[in-house]
Amino acid sequence: GVLLESAIKDQEIGRYSLLAIEPFAVFKSKGTHSEFILNQEKHIYDTEPFEQLRKSVAALRLPSNPHYPPLVGGSVGFASYD
C-alpha cells in the first residue's frame, strides 16, 4: 500500500490524503512490450507503452461528480525504472 499525504497549505487542494491498497490493475512495460493485468487477466500489447496506458486507464474512468471531492476512488499509480 501507499499513503500520499498533501503537503500543500491550501484549503482547496491541500486538504486531501490518499491511501491506496490492493491494486486491481497493474501496467508493466519494457520497450514496446507492455502488459496490463486487470482482475488477474493479462492483456499483452506491442505498441507505444504510454499510449497503451492512456487507453487502458481511459476504459476504467469513472464520471466526475461536482458534489464529491476531486478523487473519491480510481487510479493512483507510480512509475519506476531500472
Side-chain angles (χ1 to χ4, degrees):
V2 65
L3 171 65
L4 301 175
E5 191 72 58
S6 178
I8 298 173
K9 303 286 188 223
D10 180 277
Q11 286 187 341
E12 290 302 311
I13 61 174
R15 61 184 174 164
Y16 300 105
S17 298
L18 184 90
L19 179 63
I21 58 172
E22 297 183 19
F24 67 92
V26 175
F27 185 84
K28 299 177 186 181
S29 72
K30 184 170 185 174
T32 59
H33 177 82
S34 59
E35 297 176 1
F36 184 62
I37 304 164
L38 176 62
N39 296 322
Q40 300 178 349
E41 184 177 328
K42 186 185 293 189
H43 305 270
I44 298 174
Y45 305 97
D46 282 312
T47 59
E48 199 281 318
F50 285 108
E51 183 59 31
Q52 188 57 53
L53 179 60
R54 274 190 222 64
K55 290 178 183 177
S56 297
V57 171
L60 302 172
R61 189 174 180 107
L62 299 172
S64 62
N65 186 326
H67 302 290
Y68 294 144
L71 181 66
V72 293
S75 298
V76 176
F78 67 92
S80 66
Y81 66 93
D82 58 20

